[in-house]
Each structure stands twice: as structure tokens, then as C-alpha cells.
Amino acid sequence: MTDVIDETLASHNQTPEAVPEAGLFGKAVNAIGLLFAIGILASAGLLFYEVVMRYVFNAPTRWVHETVVFLSALAFVYGGLYAAAIDKHIRVVIFYDRLSAGMKRVFNILISLTCLIASLFFAWAAWLSVKRAAWTPQGDFRLETSGSAWNPPYPGLLKIFLLIILVLLVVQFTIFTINYLRRKGQA
Amino acid sequence: MDFLFDFQSLGIGGATLAMFVMLMALLLTGMPLAFVTLLVALIFALGWFGPMAVPLITSRIFSFVNSFVFVSVPMFVLMAAILDRSGIARDLFDAMKVLAGRIRGGVAIQTLLVAVVLAAMSGIIGGEVILLGLLALPQMLRLGYDRNLAIGVCCAGGALGTMVPPSIVLIIYGLTANVSVGDLFSAAFLPGLMLAGFYAAYILIRAYMNPALAPIAEPEDITRAEKLRLLKGLFLPILVVIFVLGSIYGGIASVTEASAIGVIGVTLSTIIRGEFTVDLMIGAAKQTLRTVGMIVWIGIGASALVGVFNLMGGINFVSNLITGISDNPTVVILFMMAILFVLGMFLDWVGIALLCMPIFVPIVRDMGYDPVWFGVVFAMNMQVSFLSPPFGPAAFYLKSVAPPDISLGDIFRSLLPFIGMQILAVALLIAFPGITGH
Amino acid sequence: QEFTFRIQSSDPAGNTNFVLQKEWAEMVSEKTDGRVAVEMLPVETIVAHSETMDAVAAGILDGHFTDTSYASGKDPAFGLIANPVGAWSSPDQMFDFMENGGGKELMNEMLEPYGLHFIGATTPGLEAFVSKVPLDGVDDLKGLKLRAPEGMVQNVFAAAGASPVNLPGSEVFTSLDKGVIDAADYNTFSTNAAQGLHDVAKHPVYPGFHSMPLIEVSVNKAKWDSLPDDLKTAMEDSVREFATYQSETVLKRDMEAVEEAKAGGEITVHDWSDEDRAKFRAIARSQWEKAAQASENSQKVYDLLTTYLVENGLMAED
Ligand code: NA
Ligand code: NA
């Protein structure tokens, strides 16, 4: 019995791969995910450090909380692209699963295309917000800061990062659409 | 661009209905939930206001991810992912064998005890259901347990993670309702244990009424020394529970920080057990990235939809609709429960919390109820949402690790009695608010 | 009506300040004979509190009723003018600075390039200080773990020897209760009392010695420019009247809450001596000087503010 449990655990814990329809781009998204995964580990360490500094040494930092929020936000935003590349976004497939292979392919094409168009709109809107977060009204480059005592430019950086990820989502959904059209991978 | 503004002619009532229908229809196509809500938000932003309203959505995405409280999500997920990869949960399961003893339905009770300890360590659902599905389900099936009972215990037990504190559902509720998360945790202890008690009673009653449902394991004489060795498996998990809850109630850390202390606690446990490797941590972190990508983007979509709906004037509309249903506050509360129940069939709890709480909580406050009590009722109602078809996350998680001959339909059928007990718990909380201490 | 303004507040729906702001919306309607309708929305209804400036500029919202310090991320000057810690002893002083000391003109000089027009300022009044331990002067701040809002308030407390902690408002009560922090800069005395903070922190300092937030009413500039002059004047008047009304209402409530707290016998209300208040102001002033260097506009704020304070005998020339 023990071996069965070991096997199920091991197969469950395999690191996921990008689905074939995500293309080379999806593989790259999967690989770069490592960076943001490390950011999550770092966040846990930093929060622990903050608690120790405050509780034991009575010296809370002014940078840990903001940095942890920033690292987590990067992981959250990237996680959306990552889950798209490995096709792990939560979906209701009760109806979809009953479709024929041909209809599934049509659905896949339409869904990817719709997500592509929506992402395009969002990328455009994110660009508008980056214009406000990265330049002053006078046209000088100045990243929006958090306004705290430490005042890091995290909000400006995060808005730029969001724009980049939305653009990459457009790319990812374009690749999905094309590959479903060409029947690449399994429909 | 005139056609764009046609949506306003629907009126807010018609638009609300159209929004709901569009959500359900798109959901059933198999489109990812996060993109369904984002798309509906986009369509209504464009159709009701025009392109100038689209930046509202990206602004809400930015604010949603940029929040301190949400840091606890990756921390809880990471904790579960490390547990998955270590032998900690495994030893905990074995240790509970000693406690559950040789009673009828012993393995199911043992599973439930593990579920409660896991629930007190962490605050999310996925990790627990998967762990129970991996550890307990094969063992119960091998012993010849009734399949429905075995499946139900794993799913319902795993869902307890968001009812027994710490709980991410209560954290998010606290954030949207602006009430103290510490108070919510204190108030949720008893109701969480009460629900676990219902499950235990159900297992025992069924097992004793029909012994064929839960055969007793072959007599296996465990020596005292062996018992002590097994009980050691309890030590590290209990230590983590003390780390997390102790740091909150001992005034050492805020709730969000405590979730990170849990991660450190679990990591230390793997070091003590000699299981710690860099690969283990990286693997767990990548799994966390994937899971938070799923969870947070569902929240992002819901948040975007709420923003657009509010700008359309939806809050007032729904709020008037609910308060107009009756002058009797209990009826209004029951109506809210019905809405939550129906939404729980289709949507994820994050989405439901973000959609409904800004509307419900002010009404609840105005009617003179305690928002802390309502938070506990809400969390209990979300217990139902994890199990109810067609969108039942606990069932999905279990399916991902269950033997292939168990279909999603089998799982949902097994869950019906457990949903019944959850609804009973919701009803009791409404009838006797004192259970929460509020 | 001819004009409607959808205005998002930085206060939540149940908050007393928000309830008052809804009264302002009625005042506007009365003053303009119903030609202008204002719809007040609670915080986060449409966008987050820190995002309203962009939303107003983009025309998603028509205006915001917000703490000016939320714009510090765009230009630190907003943080300095929003809360020059220790500068004001009463709302009237700040109102006079805005009306007659050039404050209003400077606000518009800073805000209009972003696409917003500043109509006027208000404030709930001096904040009270919540503490678990007795605080009778600046020396007692040494080593104190306190929650303070982001920005200069934190810097001033740090300069006074305290350890400021970043915490969301929703975690303040539990953190005080469990002793994660000893004290908190939170809200006015009556609000603190209503939220039960004094039950877990029995040594409030009142009147406060630190913050008095500048709450601005600003609207989309293009929309403002489209208003006829008589409506512009009516809206400006309404904000001015509201400011006096709000600060007086809050003061009255605070006094009642203080009396109630004293009568209860459980809570000790501490009041600082003039010497200690002056000491704190001196520490604060050293931080204004630092803050002035943060941007071109910050220097303008600092110059205008110190000139006004010196001319009106509120601060010694040095
Ligand atoms: Na839990
Ligand atoms: Na469900």
C-alpha cells in the first residue's frame, strides 16, 4: 500500500510542463516562472525576518512589508500567464468534455481568440496607466512611488510589469489560436 | 460608436440579468473562469460607458494584486505544497491511527482528525483535499469502505481548511467587510469544530447501523513502544499549529505574517526530519506559483466585474432588491444565503466574496447584526460551495488524485449528505448566533 | 439637473465622515437649485483609494473627496501639504492658509497638470493618539512600537525615537489588543472610541499632537471648466461651508466622547504640555526641511507654509 501512496504522491508532485499548443513561448514562460517562484520563497523568509526584528530586537524595518507585497504582486500577475501557458486556469468542463473532438477544436479556437482580443484591450488600458505612472505631466521620467516613508518606486514598476504581462498574454493567446487552427497538439 | 451605448437602454435591472446569463453561458463553454469574468467586465465597460472606462479594469487589477493581506495566499499554498512533498502529513496520518483506535469507521475518523489538524495549520482548501485523497482514500478503498463515504470524508474534511482558523476565506471577508480578522478567527473555532463533529457523528452512525460500510481493519497489535513512535508524528504538525495560531494570539505577528511563520515552521520540520532539499523547496514554490496564478486571477476577474457593475449603479440596485424582499431581517438573511448558495454552484468563493460582500455587509450591519457573526455564516456557506456541482473545487481536487474509475459524477453524488450537514450548520448558526460568541 | 458629479470618497460607507460628505452632496444641490447633482461613492467602490487621481483624470470618476496624501506617490509635495506633521493646532488655521495664505492656488498649480481641479479643503480635525501605555511627552515615544500611516508621519515618529510599523487599518485593533503594537495613529477621538480601540488601549492622547489630514475636494478639470461661473462659485462656497460644519461637528463629538471616557473611569486621557508639543513640532520641522528637498513642488510647499506660519506668529523665524 505504501508504494501506491508513494507513487501517487510522486506523480502528483511532478513539476508541470507547458502544454504543446503553448509553443516554444509557453516553454519559456514555464522556465522563467522559476524566478517568481523564488520570489515567493523569499517573501516567506522576509516576513519571518520582519517578525524577528520587531519581536526580538524591537526594530521593525520599513522595507519588508512593501517588498513582500511587491514580490507577491509580481508572482500573482505572472502566475496568470504561467497558468495560461500550462493550461491550469480553473474552468468548468462538464459541458465541454462531452463535445466531439471537432467541436472541441472550434471551442478552443474561439476561446483563445476571445481571450486574445480581451487581453489586447487590457494591454491598451494598461499602457494608458503606465503613461501616468512613469512620466510626470511635464514629461519627465519619474516612476510612481508608494508614498511611504521608504517610498520605493514599486507602484510604477508594478504597473509597467502588468503592461508587459498583458502584452505577453496577447502573444500567448495568439500562439494558442494559431496552433488550434493548425490542429497542433491534441484538440 | 453609437451602438456601444445601447447597453444603457437595458436599464440596470436588465443589464444585471444579462450579465448573469452571459457569465453562466460563457462559463459552460469551458472558458477559464478568470477570463470569463474579465471578459464580461470588458463587454459591459465598453457597452455601457465606452472605451474610456476600460482603464478602470486595469486599475482594479493593479490594486487587487498590490495588497498586503493577499500575501497570505501564497504562504498558505506554499505550506501545503511543502507538506505534500515531505513525510510530515504521512506520519500525522499514521499517528492518528493510534487515536482513532479500532472503532467502526476508524479510518474515516482517523482521516477526519488529520483533516482538522491540517485545517488548523493552513487556511486554503486545495492542499488538504489533495493530501487526504493521496493518503486516506486508497487505504479506505482497500479496506472495503463504502466508496461514497470514503470520498465524502476526503472532500468535506479537506474543505474544513477554510472553516477552522486560520482561514483565507475569513481573511478576505475581514478585508472586504473591514472587521478584525482575529475576531473572525476566534468566532469561527467552535462552528468549524461543530461541523467536523457532524461529520464524525455521521460516520459513526452509518458505520454502526451498517457495519458493511466500514469494515474494521485486520487486528493489528500495536505495542506501546510502537504507539509512542507513531505518536511522534503528531509532534511537528502540532508545533506548526502552535507557531501559526500562537504567533497571532500571542501578539507576535499580524495574521498575514503568521502565514509566513507557518511556512517557516513546515520548512523547519522538513529540516528536522532530514527531508529538506533545495529541489523540494523549488518544486513546492513552482506549484505555489501555479496555484496562486489560478486563485488570484479568479479574484482579479471578480474584482474587475465588481468595479464595472458598481460604476453602472449596480450596488444600489441589488441592495434595494435584497432589502425589498421582506421587512423581516431573518428572511433577508435567508435570501442572502440562497443567493450565496446559487452563486456557490457556479463561482469560486473569492469571486463570491468580492461580488457580494460589499453589498451584503452594509445591509447586515444596518439590520443590526454583527458583521463578525455574518463572516462566520459566510465562511460556512462557502463550505457548501466547495462541494456543490457543477463547480465544486473540492471535487475537482479529489478527482485529480483519485483512482481513474471514480468519475466526477460519482464524487458529486458522494457529497450530497455532506452538503446536507453543511446546510444544517448554516441554519444552526443563523438560529443560534451564540455559537460564534457574537 | 444639468450637471452630475460622481465622486468617490476615501472613507468607507459606514464612516461618520462619509455620512457627513453625503450631507455636502445635499448642500451642493440646494446651493445650485438642483442644477448640480453629486453622487458620493464610498472608498474602493470604483477604484482603490490610491488610484482615484488617475480615474478622475481619465473621466471614469468625476471627482474625489480624498486625503491628499494618497497622491504622494505622484509627487511627494502632496504628502507634505497634506500633513505637515505638527504644523496646525486647529482646523481654522489650515483653512485660513488654504484661503488666504496661497494654499489653494498652490494646490491647483500642482494638481491641474494632472487633469484635476481643486475646489477646496476640509478636515475632520486633529487626530487623537491611541496608546496602551501612558504617554505624557516626547520622551515617552522612545522605543514605542506604533502604527503610523505611510509617509512623513512615520519619519517624524522615527525621528522622535519611536519604531513605526506598517499595518493595514483592518489589523490595527487586533494588533493593539495582542500587543503587536503599543500605539497607533488612527483617527479622531470619537471614531477611535466608537471602534472600541480604547477598550484595548486605555491611554489615548487628546488633543492629538501629530496629524491633521488635508481632505481635498477635486474634480475633473475639463468638466470643471465646462461649468458656468455661478455654479463654480456655488460649489466653492459649499465646500467652504462644509469644512466649517464638518470640523465643528467632529469637535463636538470628540468632546462628548472624551467626557464619556473620563466618566467611565477605565480610560486615562492624556494631554501634553505646551513644552512637549513644541518639542514635537521642532522634531517635525526638521523633517519638513528634509521633505522639502524631495521635489520642486515640495520646496514650494515648504516655503509657502513656513512663510505663512511665521507671518501669522505660529512659528518663530530662525
Ligand atoms: Na484553516
Ligand atoms: Na460549488
Side-chain angles (χ1 to χ4, degrees), chain B residues 138-375:
Chain B
Q139 190 149 343
M140 284 191 276
L141 295 179
R142 188 183 56 120
L143 282 173
Y145 266 60
D146 175 59
R147 220 165 66 155
N148 288 344
L149 190 68
I151 293 170
V153 171
C154 290
C155 284
L160 283 174
T162 58
M163 191 65 225
V164 177
S167 147
I168 185 70
V169 174
L170 292 171
I171 292 175
I172 299 307
Y173 175 85
L175 182 73
T176 50
N178 202 24
V179 294
S180 153
V181 177
D183 286 356
L184 285 166
F185 281 8
S186 306
F189 263 112
L190 205 54
L193 295 179
M194 176 183 84
L195 184 61
F198 287 178
Y199 297 160
Y202 174 77
I203 294 167
L204 291 175
I205 291 170
R206 292 215 53 199
Y208 278 96
M209 277 172 59
N210 183 358
L213 291 179
I216 298 184
E218 315 87 71
E220 175 184 350
D221 274 325
I222 311 178
T223 63
R224 183 170 285 260
E226 176 72 358
K227 269 188 187 170
L228 271 178
R229 193 191 63 79
L230 286 175
L231 278 175
K232 267 173 50 194
L234 264 175
F235 177 70
L236 289 175
I238 299 283
L239 203 65
V240 175
V241 172
I242 295 173
F243 261 49
V244 175
L245 293 178
S247 61
I248 296 173
Y249 287 99
I252 296 165
S254 69
V255 172
T256 310
E257 289 165 343
S259 61
I261 292 183
V263 172
I264 301 297
V266 175
T267 309
L268 278 179
S269 304
T270 63
I271 295 175
I272 292 171
R273 299 168 52 92
E275 292 170 336
F276 178 88
T277 61
V278 173
D279 276 354
L280 182 147
M281 295 305 285
I282 296 285
K286 280 200 90 170
Q287 190 185 329
T288 307
L289 182 65
R290 178 183 88 190
T291 310
V292 296
M294 279 157 42
I295 299 178
V296 170
W297 276 70
I298 287 174
I300 283 175
S303 172
L305 192 61
V306 173
V308 174
F309 190 56
N310 284 349
L311 194 63
M312 289 161 57
I315 261 210
N316 286 336
F317 170 73
V318 177
S319 169
N320 291 338
L321 194 76
I322 292 173
T323 45
I325 200 99
S326 165
D327 288 335
N328 181 342
T330 310
V331 176
V332 175
I333 294 280
L334 290 176
F335 183 58
M336 287 178 179
M337 290 302 121
I339 294 177
L340 292 177
F341 183 77
V342 172
L343 288 178
M345 292 166 70
F346 298 98
L347 294 179
D348 186 80
W349 70 269
V350 183
I352 299 173
L354 294 169
L355 283 170
C356 297
M357 291 310 119
I359 302 175
F360 286 8
V361 176
I363 299 176
V364 168
R365 274 208 176 96
D366 283 349
M367 293 192 306
Y369 289 105
D370 188 324
V372 173
W373 163 80
F374 190 72

Side-chain angles (χ1 to χ4, degrees), chain B residues 22-67:
Chain B
M22 198 186 278
L23 268 179
M24 297 307 140
L26 284 169
L27 207 58
L28 290 177
T29 64
M31 188 175 193
L33 174 58
F35 290 98
V36 168
T37 39
L38 275 170
L39 180 67
V40 174
L42 176 66
I43 290 172
F44 277 82
L46 286 171
W48 195 277
F49 303 101
M52 62 54 115
V54 180
L56 155 63
I57 297 174
T58 42
S59 168
R60 286 188 78 98
I61 298 179
F62 164 78
S63 311
F64 188 83
V65 298
N66 197 28
S67 135

Side-chain angles (χ1 to χ4, degrees), chain B residues 48-184:
Chain B
W48 195 277
F49 303 101
M52 62 54 115
V54 180
L56 155 63
I57 297 174
T58 42
S59 168
R60 286 188 78 98
I61 298 179
F62 164 78
S63 311
F64 188 83
V65 298
N66 197 28
S67 135
F68 181 57
V69 180
F70 265 101
V71 172
S72 58
V73 177
M75 295 303 121
F76 284 137
V77 176
L78 183 57
M79 206 194 293
I82 297 173
L83 280 175
D84 258 12
R85 288 166 167 73
S86 74
I88 300 169
R90 183 71 167 284
D91 288 357
L92 172 65
F93 187 70
D94 289 342
M96 287 302 186
K97 182 157 64 180
V98 180
L99 294 186
R102 300 266 297 283
I103 48 173
R104 263 204 187 281
V107 184
I109 298 288
Q110 179 187 350
T111 307
L112 203 55
L113 288 173
V114 174
V116 171
V117 176
L118 289 176
M121 290 167 77
S122 175
I124 52 148
I125 167 176
E128 280 93 310
V129 174
I130 286 173
L131 279 172
L132 297 178
L134 291 171
L135 296 172
L137 188 62
Q139 190 149 343
M140 284 191 276
L141 295 179
R142 188 183 56 120
L143 282 173
Y145 266 60
D146 175 59
R147 220 165 66 155
N148 288 344
L149 190 68
I151 293 170
V153 171
C154 290
C155 284
L160 283 174
T162 58
M163 191 65 225
V164 177
S167 147
I168 185 70
V169 174
L170 292 171
I171 292 175
I172 299 307
Y173 175 85
L175 182 73
T176 50
N178 202 24
V179 294
S180 153
V181 177
D183 286 356
L184 285 166

Side-chain angles (χ1 to χ4, degrees), chain C residues 43-224:
Chain C
V43 66
E44 322 277 314
T45 311
I46 310 296
V47 294
H49 62 85
S50 55
E51 290 277 294
T52 53
M53 201 166 151
D54 283 356
V56 173
I60 294 170
L61 293 167
D62 299 309
H64 63 181
F65 204 130
T66 188
D67 190 325
T68 297
S69 60
Y70 292 140
S72 326
K74 297 277 186 198
D75 186 335
F78 290 115
L80 184 56
I81 199 167
N83 199 351
V85 180
W88 310 119
S89 313
S90 81
D92 290 340
Q93 294 174 355
M94 191 261 278
F95 297 156
D96 187 61
F97 167 69
M98 295 307 287
E99 283 297 325
N100 308 312
K104 192 171 179 172
E105 290 73 16
L106 181 58
M107 271 301 279
N108 265 323
E109 185 187 328
M110 299 196 298
L111 211 48
E112 288 193 341
Y114 288 96
L116 281 80
H117 175 83
F118 170 80
I119 302 180
T122 176
T123 185
L126 279 171
E127 287 184 353
F129 200 68
V130 190
S131 177
K132 282 174 89 82
V133 292
L135 297 177
D136 291 300
V138 173
D139 292 342
D140 294 336
L141 293 175
K142 289 231 162 56
L144 194 74
K145 271 181 287 190
L146 60 87
R147 181 260 181 178
E150 300 164 339
M152 204 173 62
V153 185
Q154 281 191 0
N155 285 336
V156 172
F157 277 115
S163 310
V165 179
N166 260 332
L167 273 183
S170 55
E171 289 201 21
V172 168
F173 181 90
T174 319
S175 302
L176 273 173
D177 188 21
K178 305 303 175 199
V180 176
I181 49 173
D182 309 311
D185 168 310
Y186 193 67
N187 213 310
T188 53
F189 193 93
S190 50
T191 306
N192 295 343
Q195 299 205 359
L197 290 176
H198 297 155
D199 300 340
V200 293
K202 299 186 189 298
H203 293 278
V205 182
Y206 182 86
F209 51 88
H210 52 302
S211 297
M212 192 178 79
L214 166 64
I215 309 294
E216 68 175 71
V217 187
S218 303
V219 294
N220 180 286
K221 186 172 182 306
K223 185 142 184 173
W224 175 260

